[in-house]
């Protein structure tokens, strides 16, 4: 009986295929599937990949039947075509939002329609979504049915993925992440500060018998610290969402899921673009097993229930893996060794490329907690403690230095690492020599300046990632031969121009008593600031152009005044480490953001980049000269050319060119040629003298903040009268412009570089550096 029933179904299905249309109704319109749009989809993005604005397009497969195919009609919203009708009338077609003509035929299978402008009004009116209906018109009738798709303008975009950084130890782990950005409206792609309700976190152990439910958790967020789960996080909880709400809900935590720990974390704020630290979350988990395997999953949820990822039961094995370490830390010595400078006993010497070699007794990794290995200035291993039976060597070290400005440890990215310490050294008199039986290893620290004091922290890391107690030691670097001959004022370093002339130069651009860089000053103000510096035995002045240049060149060995110790081209180096052409004025103003890699062999910092520097020019007509480059981007100019030590800049303003002398007009056919000197070889048409001139210039006396006259400037009289005092204040840029006289002139129609403006030119990109010359 059952067999017969299925046979009948198959026959009925075959009949439906042959008849094209099966219906319970005897009458009604037949809609031909081969005359309708298929595979209709929405594309959220612009055709131009470089266009970051919000765009909407629909992509569709054209009808299979192209014979008599004439138009595709499009309606936006349901005003003309509702959300259920399959057919449209001719009146509705006349009211189509857009009609696309296909009557001439097309070979395309798929087509795309850009709807961005068509739906813009709906977005502006606050619609969350809108219907797009498409209907194919044929000249012989017999249409296919209306096809629809919905465009959503509201928040259907999940927050960005949460990137988790971890640090593990024997029985615990620290996880750090930053609040993700959230775009709340497709048509506002640059608004990324949508509110994050909170985070779902799941910790999972691969050991089913391990109980994670009562792990100790301490959460530190932008609003404070919670170590009990009473304020900012909830244990055995997760965020859930439905179509119209988001809520926090409890989850099962019985014995059958004891190797899981789920917590929910509340947030309630959007990404803070002004203070990155206010986006940071840190979670410390304690009570894990040593040398064990775990995973962690974290997802962010926005205010309408969009999630940045999954952290459910089915995905725990593939979440982020972390392993706790073994319970025995490597052993490190307590002292660093270095090559001593004979000129300054007790201080380390640098090589010719400003490199500092440091040595330390090799760290070891014991196998047992009750090992006999001792730590002193060197690691002491008893004869009874044999390699591979009692301990293993350490191949990885983390080498850091303490940044006194940021008050934090910063890692040397090129030092430490693995596999770099196979060559061993032994003490040989007052030096270190390679030795097969040696117990010391070495590393090289680059970009060290003479006179630096470096606080080192070196930690050994074993194969499971467990850190040793840190070796912390301070090395004072020799100030070098020049310093033995000359004691510079505070903030200055000894330098040489390469021709036996030595003097002192400020290590950084000039700073005031509060430690702030001085910039946006007149050349005369820079001169006065340097002359106001008191230093016994020295005459302090603004650096002379030739001196600045020779120090930058470092005897001709450098082109840009920096030691490029990396395998990168000059442009990348100058951009990344010297702030050349970045438009980052904040880094230029903050000494803690300056990079130690932008330094010359004598220890002078930031000669390229940061700020251009006023210097005293080589002759009277070029007194105000700027050297070096700055953070500013100059269109069409490459960084290398701007940053060359030999490059010099002459400040000027662009002003209209004029003359007060006679102007000669010569006819050339139907044209009149204007020249400013008599030409006896040509036929004179007319001579214009000052009484014939119709142009006027307003001249100004330029005064500084003390009322001293520092130069003369001018502008079109018409601009001055039209702009008034507000315009004059803008022209003055902090200086006082006092109208002096109006001159009747002949404007040549050209622009000239008004070099006299150097006396009252200032820019936020220009600072200066003082030099102290021995008396």
């Amino acid at each position: 009986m059952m067999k017969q029933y299925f046979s009948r179904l198959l026959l009925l299905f075959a009949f439906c295929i042959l008849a094209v249309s099966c219906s319970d109704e005897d009458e009604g319109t037949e809609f031909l599937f081969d005359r309708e749009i298929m595979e209709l989809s929405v594309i959220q993005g612009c055709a131009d990949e470089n266009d970051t604005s919000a765009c909407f397009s629909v992509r569709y497969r054209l009808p299979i039947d192209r014979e008599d195919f004439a138009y595709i009609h499009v309606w936006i919203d349901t005003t003309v075509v509702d959300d259920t009708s399959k057919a449209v009338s001719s009146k509705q077609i006349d009211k189509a939002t857009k009609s696309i003509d296909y009557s001439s035929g097309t070979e395309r299978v798929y087509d795309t329609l850009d709807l961005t402008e068509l739906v813009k009004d709906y977005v502006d009116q606050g619609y969350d979504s809108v219907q797009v209906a498409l209907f194919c018109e044929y000249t012989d009738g017999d249409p296919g049915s209306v096809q629809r798709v919905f465009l959503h303008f509201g928040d259907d975009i999940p927050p960005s993925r949460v990137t988790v950084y971890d640090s593990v130890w024997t029985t615990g782990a620290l996880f750090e992440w930053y609040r993700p950005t959230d775009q709340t409206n497709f048509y506002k792609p640059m608004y990324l500060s949508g509110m994050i309700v909170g985070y779902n976190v799941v910790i999972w152990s691969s050991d089913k018998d391990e109980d994670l439910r009562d792990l100790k958790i301490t959460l530190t967020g932008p609003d404070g610290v919670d170590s009990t789960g009473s304020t900012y996080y909830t244990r055995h909880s997760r965020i859930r969402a439905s179509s119209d709400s988001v809520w926090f809900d409890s989850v099962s935590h019985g014995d059958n899921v004891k190797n899981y720990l789920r917590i929910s974390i509340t947030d309630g704020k959007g990404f803070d673009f002004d203070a990155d630290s206010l986006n940071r979350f840190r979670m410390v988990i304690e009570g894990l097993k040593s040398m064990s395997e775990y995973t962690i999953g974290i997802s962010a949820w926005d205010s309408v229930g969009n999630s940045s990822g999954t952290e459910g039961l089915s995905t725990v094995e593939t979440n982020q893996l972390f392993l706790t370490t073994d319970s025995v830390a490597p052993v490190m010595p307590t002292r660093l060794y270095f090559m001593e400078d004979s000129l300054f006993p007790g201080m380390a010497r640098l090589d010719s490329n400003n490199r500092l070699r440091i040595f330390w007794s090799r760290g070891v990794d014991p196998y047992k907690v009750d090992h006999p290995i001792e730590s002193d200035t060197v690691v002491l291993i008893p004869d009874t403690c044999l390699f591979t039976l009692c301990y293993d060597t350490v191949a990885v070290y983390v080498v850091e230095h303490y940044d006194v400005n940021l008050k934090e440890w910063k890692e040397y990215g090129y030092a430490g690492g693995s596999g770099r310490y196979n060559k061993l050294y032994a003490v040989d008199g007052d030096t270190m020599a390679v030795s097969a039986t040696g117990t010391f290893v070495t590393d090289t620290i680059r970009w060290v300046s003479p006179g630096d004091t470096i606080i080192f922290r070196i930690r050994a890391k074993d194969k499971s990632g467990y850190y040793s107690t840190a070796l912390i030691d301070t090395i004072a670097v020799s100030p070098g031969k020049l310093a033995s001959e000359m004691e510079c004022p505070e903030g200055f370093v000894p330098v040489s121009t390469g021709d036996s002339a030595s003097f002192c130069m400020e290590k950084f651009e000039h700073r005031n008593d509060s430690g702030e860089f001085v910039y946006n000053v007149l050349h005369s103000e820079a001169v006065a600031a340097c002359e106001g510096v008191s230093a016994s035995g020295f005459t302090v002045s603004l650096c002379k152009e030739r001196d600045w240049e020779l120090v930058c060149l470092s005897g001709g060995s450098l082109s840009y005044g920096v030691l490029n110790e990396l395998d990168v081209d000059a442009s990348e180096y100058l951009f990344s480490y010297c702030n050349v052409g970045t438009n980052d004025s904040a880094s230029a103003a903050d000494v803690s953001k300056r990079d130690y890699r932008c330094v010359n062999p004598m220890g002078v910092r930031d000669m390229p980049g940061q700020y251009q520097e006023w210097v005293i020019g080589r002759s009277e007509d070029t007194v105000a000269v700027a050297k070096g480059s700055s953070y500013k981007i100059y269109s069409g100019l490459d960084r290398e050319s701007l940053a060359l030590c030999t490059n010099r800049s002459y400040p000027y303003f662009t002003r209209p060119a004029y003359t007060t002398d006679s102007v000669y007009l010569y006819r050339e056919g139907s044209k009149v040629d204007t020249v400013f000197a008599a030409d006896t070889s040509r036929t004179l048409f007319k001579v214009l003298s000052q009484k014939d001139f119709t142009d006027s210039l307003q001249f100004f006396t330029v005064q500084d903040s003390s009322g001293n006259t520092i130069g003369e400037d001018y502008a079109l009289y018409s601009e001055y009268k039209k702009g008034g005092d507000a315009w004059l204040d803008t022209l003055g840029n902090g200086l006082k412009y006092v109208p002096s006289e109006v001159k009747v002139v002949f404007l040549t129609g050209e622009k000239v570089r008004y070099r006299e403006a150097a006396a009252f030119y200032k820019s936020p990109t220009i600072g200066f550096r003082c030099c102290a010359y021995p008396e």
Side-chain angles (χ1 to χ4, degrees):
M1 185 69 181
M2 188 63 70
K3 265 187 174 180
Q4 292 175 349
Y5 178 73
F6 276 111
S7 299
R8 289 172 187 169
L9 282 179
L10 290 171
L11 288 171
L12 178 61
F13 179 66
F15 176 77
C16 287
I17 293 175
L18 293 172
V20 178
S21 175
C22 280
S23 174
D24 292 333
E25 301 179 6
D26 293 330
E27 296 179 355
T29 304
E30 289 189 353
F31 298 102
L32 305 179
F33 76 91
D34 58 350
R35 286 196 168 192
E36 64 190 31
I37 284 173
M38 294 180 289
E39 301 178 31
L40 187 58
S41 61
V42 178
I43 301 173
Q44 293 185 348
C46 299
D48 183 358
E49 295 180 355
N50 297 319
D51 190 347
T52 59
S53 59
C55 302
F56 267 115
S57 299
V58 292
R59 186 175 185 271
Y60 50 85
R61 184 185 180 106
L62 292 167
I64 297 173
D65 183 0
R66 306 287 181 86
E67 188 175 351
D68 301 318
F69 177 39
Y71 293 93
I72 289 180
H73 301 289
V74 182
W75 294 267
I76 308 294
D77 202 1
T78 56
T79 306
V80 178
V81 177
D82 61 28
D83 56 1
T84 59
S85 299
K86 294 184 178 180
V88 295
S89 65
S90 59
K91 289 183 179 179
Q92 289 172 305
I93 289 177
D94 291 340
K95 295 180 181 180
T97 308
K98 185 178 182 65
S99 296
I100 307 167
D101 188 351
Y102 288 99
S103 59
S104 60
T106 179
E107 297 298 322
R108 294 192 299 274
V109 176
Y110 291 89
D111 213 343
T112 302
L113 174 61
D114 189 346
L115 300 174
T116 303
E117 291 301 318
L118 300 181
V119 301
K120 187 176 185 300
D121 289 342
Y122 295 97
V123 176
D124 294 340
Q125 294 170 28
Y127 279 59
D128 287 332
S129 63
V130 68
Q131 173 191 273
V132 180
L134 296 97
F135 176 74
C136 298
E137 179 185 348
Y138 285 79
T139 55
D140 65 347
D142 296 332
S145 63
V146 177
Q147 302 299 308
R148 296 173 178 82
V149 70
F150 284 87
L151 307 184
H152 295 277
F153 310 131
D155 187 2
D156 61 349
I157 305 169
S160 59
R161 285 275 182 177
V162 178
T163 302
V164 183
Y165 304 92
D166 64 59
S167 177
V168 296
W169 54 92
T170 309
T171 58
L174 179 149
F175 300 97
E176 181 177 277
W177 70 93
Y178 285 80
R179 177 185 294 125
T181 57
D182 181 42
Q183 181 181 338
T184 59
N185 188 304
F186 176 74
Y187 260 83
K188 296 179 180 178
M190 303 312 293
Y191 180 77
L192 300 172
S193 293
M195 185 182 76
I196 302 299
V197 171
Y199 308 88
N200 280 341
V201 180
V202 58
I203 307 293
W204 174 78
S205 170
S206 59
D207 180 1
K208 293 183 178 180
D209 294 326
E210 185 174 358
D211 193 341
L212 303 182
R213 293 172 292 182
D214 295 322
L215 291 174
K216 181 180 178 182
I217 297 175
T218 301
L219 177 73
T220 303
D223 297 321
V225 180
D226 184 1
S227 58
T228 62
S230 59
T231 309
Y232 301 119
Y233 77 87
T234 304
R235 197 181 294 264
H236 313 308
S237 171
R238 66 180 299 179
I239 301 171
R240 298 183 188 272
S242 64
S243 59
D244 60 353
S245 60
V246 182
W247 71 97
F248 290 79
D249 196 8
S250 60
V251 295
S252 171
H253 52 282
D255 289 342
N256 61 323
V257 287
K258 64 182 180 181
N259 61 325
Y260 291 80
L261 173 60
R262 291 187 179 277
I263 68 171
S264 60
I265 299 172
T266 58
D267 187 349
K269 295 181 180 178
F271 190 90
D272 192 323
F273 283 93
D274 296 324
D276 203 35
S277 61
L278 297 182
N279 300 307
R280 185 170 66 180
F281 290 81
R282 283 184 173 180
M283 183 174 65
V284 176
I285 299 177
E286 298 175 86
L288 302 171
K289 289 183 178 180
S290 64
M291 301 185 71
S292 297
E293 180 180 283
Y294 303 90
T295 66
I296 183 172
I298 301 182
S299 63
W301 293 69
D302 66 16
S303 58
V304 297
N306 297 312
S307 170
S308 67
T310 59
E311 71 298 317
L313 298 177
S314 61
T315 63
V316 287
E317 289 93 344
T318 58
N319 281 339
Q320 183 168 322
L321 176 70
F322 67 97
L323 306 172
T324 51
T325 63
D326 65 30
S327 57
V328 184
V331 177
M332 280 289 285
T334 60
R335 178 186 168 185
L336 286 175
Y337 294 80
F338 51 82
M339 302 297 186
E340 194 172 275
D341 190 336
S342 58
L343 292 174
F344 294 90
M347 291 186 172
R349 73 167 184 261
L350 302 177
D351 70 10
S352 58
N353 288 314
N354 286 52
R355 297 170 181 157
L356 170 66
R357 288 191 70 185
I358 56 177
F359 299 84
W360 64 92
S361 180
R362 181 175 56 173
V364 296
D365 184 23
Y367 288 149
K368 297 186 299 182
V369 176
D370 56 346
H371 62 80
I373 302 171
E374 296 182 12
S375 172
D376 204 331
T377 55
V378 296
V379 175
L380 302 172
I381 306 173
D383 294 339
T384 55
C385 186
L386 302 177
F387 174 56
T388 72
L389 295 177
C390 178
Y391 69 92
D392 198 355
T393 58
V394 174
V396 178
Y397 297 91
V398 177
V399 183
E400 301 167 300
H401 69 280
Y402 188 71
D403 189 312
V404 294
N405 292 308
L406 296 177
K407 294 182 171 54
E408 64 182 30
W409 294 101
K410 300 190 74 173
E411 185 176 349
Y412 289 110
Y414 56 85
S418 61
R420 302 179 55 183
Y421 304 96
N422 297 325
K423 189 177 290 187
L424 300 177
Y425 294 79
V427 178
D428 184 7
D430 60 352
T431 187
M432 287 279 187
V434 176
S435 171
T437 59
T439 58
F440 286 84
V441 292
T442 185
D443 213 328
T444 301
I445 308 302
R446 294 177 284 182
W447 299 288
V448 180
S449 297
D452 278 353
T453 297
I454 307 175
I455 304 173
F456 285 99
R457 181 172 75 172
I458 303 178
R459 292 173 292 165
K461 189 166 67 171
D462 65 18
K463 294 175 181 177
S464 62
Y466 197 71
Y467 288 95
S468 69
T469 300
L471 184 173
I472 299 179
D473 201 0
T474 302
I475 292 181
V477 179
S478 163
K481 184 175 183 298
L482 284 175
S484 67
E485 302 168 353
M486 179 172 48
E487 185 176 350
C488 290
E490 184 178 355
F492 289 72
V493 294
V495 295
S496 171
T497 60
D499 55 2
S500 74
S502 300
F503 56 95
C504 302
M505 177 181 279
E506 284 191 287
K507 185 173 185 176
F508 292 94
E509 300 99 316
H510 188 72
R511 291 184 280 181
N512 60 24
D513 293 340
S514 300
E516 299 167 327
F517 287 103
V518 181
Y519 55 89
N520 200 29
V521 294
L522 300 171
H523 185 268
S524 58
E525 292 172 331
V527 170
C530 289
E531 291 177 349
V533 176
S534 177
S536 178
F538 292 90
T539 299
V540 183
S541 72
L542 188 66
C543 292
K544 300 169 186 174
E545 180 184 358
R546 184 59 177 165
D547 291 340
W548 191 101
E549 187 173 298
L550 290 173
V551 171
C552 181
L553 290 168
S554 298
S557 62
L558 302 177
S559 298
Y560 310 101
V562 291
L563 288 161
N564 184 352
E565 284 277 279
L566 294 176
D567 187 22
V568 297
D569 62 34
S571 179
E572 182 180 342
Y573 195 93
L574 293 167
F575 179 86
S576 299
Y577 306 117
C578 297
N579 201 20
V580 176
T582 65
N583 265 359
D584 184 0
S585 59
S587 291
D590 188 348
V591 72
S592 68
K593 295 182 179 179
R594 300 283 186 96
D595 198 293
Y596 64 89
R597 283 166 283 203
C598 191
V599 65
N600 83 345
M602 289 170 274
V604 182
R605 297 277 297 274
D606 303 304
M607 299 195 83
Q610 310 300 356
Y611 297 108
Q612 276 191 294
E613 300 176 33
W614 284 124
V615 293
I616 297 175
R618 303 175 196 179
S619 57
E620 288 298 322
D621 63 337
T622 59
V623 170
V625 174
K627 295 290 287 183
S629 52
S630 74
Y631 62 83
K632 186 176 180 180
I633 294 175
Y634 292 94
S635 179
L637 299 175
D638 60 273
R639 295 188 191 98
E640 297 99 315
S641 299
L642 289 170
L644 285 170
C645 296
T646 53
N647 193 36
R648 61 203 309 240
S649 300
Y650 305 102
Y652 64 86
F653 289 142
T654 300
R655 296 290 183 255
Y658 70 93
T659 183
T660 55
D661 297 329
S662 297
V663 178
Y664 300 87
L665 306 179
Y666 293 94
R667 184 181 294 281
E668 301 286 345
S670 60
K671 297 181 180 180
V672 175
D673 184 20
T674 303
V675 297
F676 306 104
D679 187 351
T680 57
S681 64
R682 304 169 69 184
T683 302
L684 181 66
F685 173 68
K686 189 175 183 180
V687 178
L688 301 181
S689 61
Q690 195 162 17
K691 64 181 177 60
D692 302 308
F693 297 162
T694 58
D695 303 316
S696 297
L697 295 176
Q698 175 69 58
F699 284 78
F700 306 94
T701 298
V702 185
Q703 298 177 348
D704 61 18
S705 57
S706 301
N708 300 316
T709 298
I710 56 176
E712 182 183 66
D713 200 1
Y714 67 90
L716 293 174
Y717 179 75
S718 58
E719 288 185 359
Y720 166 58
K721 296 302 291 182
K722 181 181 178 181
D725 291 340
W727 176 86
L728 197 59
D729 289 342
T730 302
L731 184 68
N733 188 29
L735 301 173
K736 187 175 181 181
Y737 268 51
V738 180
S740 57
E741 64 172 321
V742 177
K743 287 185 180 180
V744 178
V745 301
F746 182 87
L747 296 178
T748 68
E750 299 175 337
K751 296 285 186 179
V752 295
R753 296 181 176 184
Y754 186 54
R755 290 279 291 278
E756 288 79 356
F760 50 89
Y761 185 95
K762 60 180 182 178
S763 166
T765 67
I766 300 181
F768 61 96
R769 200 182 301 251
C770 302
C771 287
Y773 298 94
E775 293 178 348

